[in-house]
Amino acid sequence: MKKLPDKTVERLSQYRRSLLNCLANGKKHIFSHEIANLHHITPVQVRRDIMLIGYTGTLRKGYDIQELVDLIGEIIDTDEGQNVAIIGIGNLGRALVTYLQGKRSKLRIAAGFDINKDKVDRVYGGVQCYHIDQLEEIVKKENITIAVITTPADETQKISEMLVKAGIRGILNYTPTAINVPDHVYLEEYDMITSLEKVAFFVKKNSLTV
Amino acid sequence: MKKLPDKTVERLSQYRRSLLNCLANGKKHIFSHEIANLHHITPVQVRRDIMLIGYTGTLRKGYDIQELVDLIGEIIDTDEGQNVAIIGIGNLGRALVTYLQGKRSKLRIAAGFDINKDKVDRVYGGVQCYHIDQLEEIVKKENITIAVITTPADETQKISEMLVKAGIRGILNYTPTAINVPDHVYLEEYDMITSLEKVAFFVKKNSLTV
DNA sequence: ATTAAATTGTTATTTTATTAACAAAATTTT
DNA sequence: AAAATTTTGTTAATAAAATAACAATTTAAT
Ligand SMILES: NC(=O)c1ccc[n+]([C@@H]2O[C@H](COP(=O)([O-])OP(=O)(O)OC[C@H]3O[C@@H](n4cnc5c(N)ncnc54)[C@H](O)[C@@H]3O)[C@@H](O)[C@H]2O)c1
Ligand SMILES: NC(=O)c1ccc[n+]([C@@H]2O[C@H](COP(=O)([O-])OP(=O)(O)OC[C@H]3O[C@@H](n4cnc5c(N)ncnc54)[C@H](O)[C@@H]3O)[C@@H](O)[C@H]2O)c1
């Protein structure tokens, strides 16, 4: 398959989320404009994305939801699934563990890591918390490929180096400190303040233009 | 000023975050390539963004950090600041309150809302939690313009309608249920699973192409 | 049986975003 | 003093993403 646009990959994940929801409600088929409505985009965008992954719906019935879900799975997921570690079992880390665990069959939260004695060796939302010193050992043992960083900001760079050294292949960084990783490690960073400030900016703009 | 590209607005927020950090470390000036390194982008992108907001650095010294921070503030913030409500004081809501409160002088977390008797009338991270029935009253009293939704997913649509009715101007939705709002309300949605799946996809892709 | 309506799939066009190119100015080196 | 270097600011070019246009097909309506 030819290279999928980044934005298409993102949207496929979003489509699957709502498609799974439809399935849960007993819905079997869906039209491009229905998907579009669920995601604030145009039906053409939806059809184009679906075209790019080589799926074909049926005229008048639309897309078979289960087939589409399966195909998106083939694109995003690996057969065996990937194991994920949460680094820093604080407020956000714990919230994430409970949110993510069990949500996707091919993403397993395999371990948490912390430095605080009170947290180490406890279980949070079904996930074992290890001491950060055991990172490399557990990453290897559990075949963890992805890490989510939710430690204090000033630990971020150090943690990211440990993760790279341990052989992690992808990092999702929720701390406000940007990090640098080698090319073979995929990095995604997100800061909630930026989302909030984006909202603030457009609210301000709208009030001015009205 | 002419319309700023969406992406520029996002980056300005990110620049400010790291610039504030530089200031805190006593740094006074910064070059475009330094900002670029902190955000995994090119120096040209940085200069272009800064050009768009009409700021001019000095050759050989770069940008005056304080001036740049102030100017970004003039763009993103309002003079009086905006008040924010967090709807749903669960795991994520509480994490957010403690994270956001006091981080930006022009964004004040003015109230939390929940439906659970145990949470109502308590204070979390300095923020008073009210019953959701008091939404409209408090939104008006505290002049709240922005809401962050962190309730269970099946409450999302109902909550968003209440928010619109209460006069909220911008919504940041962290639940996995997309919502629909009128044009005059700015909506931003984010799902952590999509970020995680994006990482998963690119990790998979990288392992294949190596 | 014909026409109209709905819907997909795909190419073409437009818009938005990023990157490249380079002139201008300040500083440093020779 | 002249040449080289560094860095900004801006326009031009390219790339990526979104939208529009429309043919093709199926079903429904007349
Ligand atoms: N709370 C939020 O909603 C939120 C939102 C966005 C970003 N963040 C960021 O996420 C990070 C975590 O936020 P939080 O509110 O959960 O903070 P927190 O203090 O509650 O949690 C941090 C956890 O990391 C652990 N830790 C510290 N050093 C460590 C190390 N070297 N190795 C492993 N674990 C270590 C601490 O023991 C603690 O359990 C912060 O950087 C924060 O800025 C938080
Ligand atoms: N926990 C995470 O890291 C995470 C990450 C991404 C998204 N989310 C989403 O964020 C939402 C909250 O997650 P959580 O883990 O904090 O859940 P939670 O159950 O801990 O918190 C939900 C809170 O909302 C309150 N609530 C319920 N109905 C309400 C109503 N009608 N009005 C006001 N408050 C109401 C509940 O009393 C509870 O306090 C969920 O939709 C979840 O899918 C969570």
Side-chain angles (χ1 to χ4, degrees), chain A residues 39 72 94 140 155 169 195:
Chain A
H39 295 279
I72 294 175
R94 284 194 306 271
K140 252 133 219 174
E155 301 285 324
R169 306 296 310 278
S195 287

Side-chain angles (χ1 to χ4, degrees), chain B residues 74-129:
Chain B
E74 280 177 38
I75 306 233
I76 294 179
D77 303 327
T78 58
D79 290 346
E80 337 73 53
Q82 294 195 62
N83 293 305
V84 179
I86 311 283
I87 320 296
I89 305 298
N91 294 312
L92 183 59
R94 284 193 306 270
L96 269 171
V97 166
T98 56
Y99 175 61
L100 295 174
Q101 188 62 308
K103 276 278 194 315
R104 290 289 179 277
S105 56
K106 301 296 186 179
L107 284 178
R108 171 173 164 260
I109 312 300
F113 292 91
D114 208 291
I115 205 168
N116 183 327
K117 295 271 185 265
D118 297 341
K119 291 174 182 169
V120 171
D121 291 336
R122 282 191 54 187
V123 173
Y124 294 90
V127 173
Q128 175 80 38
C129 180

Side-chain angles (χ1 to χ4, degrees), chain A residues 87-94 113-116 119 132 149-153 155-156 158-159 174-176 190-192, chain B residues 92 94-99 103:
Chain A
I87 319 296
I89 304 298
N91 293 314
L92 184 59
R94 284 194 306 271
F113 292 91
D114 209 291
I115 206 169
N116 183 328
K119 291 174 182 171
I132 188 73
I149 310 184
T150 52
T151 55
E155 301 285 324
T156 311
K158 197 180 70 189
I159 292 289
Y174 278 117
T175 78
Y190 176 82
D191 182 27
M192 299 182 191
Chain B
L92 183 59
R94 284 193 306 270
L96 269 171
V97 166
T98 56
Y99 175 61
K103 276 278 194 315

